[in-house]
Amino acid sequence: MSNKRFYIETYGCQMNFADTEVVNSILMEDGMDPVQTAEEADIIFVNTCSIRENAETRVWNRLKEFRSLKDEKRDLTVGVMGCMAERIKDKIIEQEKLVDIVVGPDAYREIPNLLKEVDDGRKAVNVLLSLEETYADITPVRTSGNGVTAFVSIMRGCDNMCAFCVVPFTRGRERSRPMSSILSEVKQLSDQGYKEVTLLGQNVNSYNYEDIDFTRLMDEASKVDPEMRFRFSSPHPKDFPEPLLHLIAERPNLCNYIHIPAQAGSDTMLERMRRPYTREQYLTLIDKMRDIIPGVSLSTDIITGFCDETEEEHEATMSLMKIVGYDLAYMFAYSERERTLAHRKYEDNVPEDVKKRRLSQIIEQQMNIQEQINNNEVGKRHLVLIEGTSKRSDEQLAGRTDTNKMVIIDKKDFRKGDYVEVIITGNTSATLFGDPVKKSSIAEFYENRELVAS
Ligand code: 5AD
Ligand code: SF4
């Protein structure tokens, strides 16, 4: 036991942020106290991401900054956790002498022991991946965040082996967390006043624990608290379950928003990427989503400039994005990662300037599409969950629609955690502005909407 102060800085995806909350819990159980800045801490952890080169570069730069803190503060301990751990353990400890601890995503329970090794003057490393670890019995501690929306991890690892992706190597094999432990975390969050939960996994539709599938899990989770909203991230287009679409359509607290990564728009590219679906199958799935859940909001991930990408393939990605008309898209230039199939088998041969140009083209098109979609929101009525004060003004609040669009309203008497009925009055390509009508609830809002519709 010790009463040292720790600080964790997190990079990467929501999974990584959820892992930080698990590590908060492990360290606090061990008697340590969380602090909000690196300067106050005795122990600094950087929770790292390897998905693209620039994610790693940011972490390296940050570690160098911590190195100078270490010079000032002799007994400062610096640790690297997360996805970069395995890949760079030797480099990090031997060449650069930047860090004392390297701990991979499945070894977080070992952190207290690793810290003892450091106290004894050794460098400590554990990057072993596991087939079972889900941290099911650990209740994450949310030290940052808004107290309204939370992430709950439902599985770990990934077995998909997309040709470009390093995740199967950094996070290991896929395994699902027991449903009972997920539901009890959801219940706890509801008791603490949280109003929205996003269930997280690298590939949520392959969730499977003792024959419970993802649709059943969503069904059970949404029944824990009908006034709590549920989202999920990310499903895979190859086997998205149709019963889930019907469930989302029926259940007012399952959000009408689906993040469904396409990655590319041509069959040839999808095949090279080892994405086991065709453009047509993907578009059929999108039609089904829109058919079953009218007004569903959709987002995607797109990679541009993957190996051997031709101009035609790029155009096919552009046209897919135009046909679907995504409400939101995360767009990336391909970044080669060691150990992936693409690294072993293909050449990263699209020149940087071509990657950049193609990326700008898809971003520009997407911004125009979003602007048009959001223009059409004006005049519509939404139930907005208030997440906090607007970044721009203390007199305004920011929240999200069920369809995951950010809305800014005047503060009036509303507060964080309220559901507010809002009429949209204006927009940009990224944000909506609205007039608040009144405080409401999921039950009230959807009952009225059904009355209006019938
Ligand atoms: N280069 C660029 N983008 C990548 N992604 C995954 N691997 C790479 C890579 N090597 C993107 C994918 C994925 C998102 C999380 O990051 O679009 O869905
Ligand atoms: Fe998340 Fe992937 Fe980055 Fe790991 S490499 S933190 S799984 S985005």
Side-chain angles (χ1 to χ4, degrees):
M1 295 287 263
S2 70
N3 51 8
K4 287 190 171 161
R5 288 161 300 184
F6 71 90
Y7 167 75
I8 309 180
E9 191 162 289
T10 311
Y11 294 83
C13 64
Q14 293 158 344
M15 271 295 217
N16 248 22
F17 283 80
D19 279 3
T20 290
E21 293 165 352
V22 166
V23 175
N24 281 338
S25 174
I26 292 169
L27 295 178
M28 287 162 78
E29 278 288 308
D30 201 50
M32 289 176 241
D33 299 319
V35 289
Q36 297 299 320
T37 65
E39 287 71 21
E40 294 166 85
D42 306 304
I43 301 160
I44 299 172
F45 277 103
V46 187
N47 193 356
T48 59
C49 173
S50 294
I51 197 95
R52 284 170 289 275
E53 171 113 44
N54 55 12
E56 292 198 352
T57 310
R58 278 171 68 203
V59 167
W60 280 113
N61 290 339
R62 197 61 178 136
L63 287 172
K64 283 179 195 136
E65 284 171 27
F66 291 147
R67 174 73 217 244
S68 26
L69 263 184
K70 253 166 118 56
D71 287 340
E72 289 163 27
K73 207 165 152 183
R74 289 267 144 211
D75 51 359
L76 178 68
T77 302
V78 175
V80 164
M81 54 187 264
C83 289
M84 278 167 76
E86 156 63 31
R87 242 170 57 66
I88 54 177
K89 59 178 194 285
D90 303 327
K91 192 170 165 200
I92 245 176
I93 289 204
E94 271 136 38
Q95 294 176 14
E96 312 253 350
K97 303 221 180 313
L98 288 176
V99 301
D100 310 292
I101 295 185
V102 178
V103 57
D106 286 343
Y108 295 149
R109 286 178 203 271
E110 282 302 307
I111 293 179
N113 293 332
L114 296 173
L115 285 168
K116 283 191 198 92
E117 285 185 35
V118 173
D119 282 345
D120 293 343
R122 293 191 296 267
K123 299 269 177 194
V125 181
N126 187 335
V127 294
L128 291 178
L129 290 172
S130 150
L131 294 177
E132 285 104 35
E133 181 63 274
T134 60
Y135 301 109
D137 56 318
I138 295 179
T139 305
V141 177
R142 295 171 170 87
T143 52
S144 55
N146 55 22
V148 176
T149 59
F151 296 108
V152 171
S153 154
I154 64 163
M155 56 206 295
R156 300 184 70 80
C158 185
D159 286 352
N160 277 336
M161 295 286 181
C162 302
F164 49 79
C165 189
V166 77
V167 174
F169 306 98
T170 64
R171 286 189 168 265
R173 300 302 299 266
E174 184 179 284
R175 65 223 100 118
S176 297
R177 173 178 170 187
M179 180 165 79
S180 57
S181 118
I182 297 168
L183 297 182
S184 68
E185 190 177 333
V186 168
K187 175 77 174 67
Q188 259 181 22
L189 287 165
S190 152
D191 292 344
Q192 290 164 10
Y194 282 85
K195 292 289 171 54
E196 183 181 297
V197 161
T198 304
L199 300 181
L200 288 182
Q202 296 300 341
N203 182 10
V204 291
N205 40 320
S206 56
Y207 176 85
N208 192 308
Y209 188 83
E210 291 177 347
D211 283 338
I212 295 165
D213 65 7
F214 184 59
T215 306
R216 165 92 194 280
L217 175 68
M218 286 298 279
D219 184 12
E220 299 291 336
S222 64
K223 287 194 282 205
V224 170
D225 177 354
E227 285 298 321
M228 187 175 226
R229 274 180 174 176
F230 289 85
R231 305 186 190 278
F232 55 93
S233 191
S234 300
H236 196 298
K238 73 176 164 116
D239 53 2
F240 193 99
E242 194 170 323
L244 180 58
L245 297 176
H246 291 286
L247 189 71
I248 295 172
E250 274 161 31
R251 214 36 79 75
N253 64 335
L254 293 185
C255 290
N256 292 353
Y257 165 67
I258 303 175
H259 179 65
I260 186 77
Q263 311 297 358
S266 62
D267 291 348
T268 45
M269 180 53 96
L270 288 168
E271 197 177 332
R272 278 209 297 296
M273 287 180 163
R274 294 292 192 275
R275 302 280 295 177
Y277 51 88
T278 61
R279 173 186 175 99
E280 195 189 326
Q281 283 165 343
Y282 183 88
L283 287 172
T284 305
L285 174 63
I286 297 291
D287 285 344
K288 214 186 274 174
M289 288 175 168
R290 292 202 154 130
D291 211 32
I292 298 174
I293 314 169
V296 66
S297 153
L298 299 171
S299 64
T300 196
D301 290 342
I302 298 289
I303 298 178
T304 193
F306 185 65
C307 313
D308 295 327
E309 186 184 59
T310 63
E311 209 54 37
E312 275 149 14
E313 288 171 331
H314 166 61
E315 288 297 332
T317 297
M318 297 270 288
S319 87
L320 179 95
M321 294 179 77
K322 202 162 170 182
I323 292 170
V324 176
Y326 294 103
D327 294 82
L328 192 68
Y330 301 91
M331 298 157 281
F332 311 103
Y334 172 60
S335 165
E336 184 177 59
R337 311 317 290 140
E338 269 172 32
R339 299 179 72 185
T340 57
L341 180 77
H343 179 254
R344 281 176 280 133
K345 214 175 144 190
Y346 311 138
E347 216 182 311
D348 178 15
N349 54 2
V350 176
E352 264 328 292
D353 57 329
V354 177
K355 279 186 191 170
K356 276 212 181 101
R357 191 252 305 155
R358 289 179 183 167
L359 182 62
S360 317
Q361 282 175 328
I362 64 168
I363 291 175
E364 194 189 327
Q365 175 180 274
Q366 180 58 25
M367 289 304 118
N368 291 333
I369 291 172
Q370 274 179 221
E371 175 120 37
Q372 279 170 27
I373 292 177
N374 283 352
N375 288 346
N376 287 334
E377 289 286 332
V378 174
K380 287 191 185 157
R381 209 170 272 266
H382 279 285
L383 185 67
V384 173
L385 172 60
I386 304 299
E387 294 178 10
T389 309
S390 155
K391 276 190 203 125
R392 269 176 263 164
S393 154
D394 284 348
E395 291 310 302
Q396 293 189 307
L397 297 171
R400 264 168 221 280
T401 63
D402 175 312
T403 51
N404 203 36
K405 291 177 194 283
M406 179 68 77
V407 183
I408 308 292
I409 62 167
D410 284 342
K411 197 173 206 164
K412 301 197 171 161
D413 288 333
F414 305 112
R415 62 189 67 177
K416 196 161 94 165
D418 284 348
Y419 284 110
V420 180
E421 186 179 327
V422 172
I423 296 176
I424 304 305
T425 54
N427 69 285
T428 66
S429 61
T431 311
L432 304 178
F433 304 94
D435 273 345
V437 180
K438 61 173 178 159
K439 191 172 158 180
S440 185
S441 67
I442 294 183
E444 184 187 13
F445 185 79
Y446 286 94
E447 195 175 313
N448 287 345
R449 210 162 70 162
E450 267 149 35
L451 287 178
V452 172
S454 60

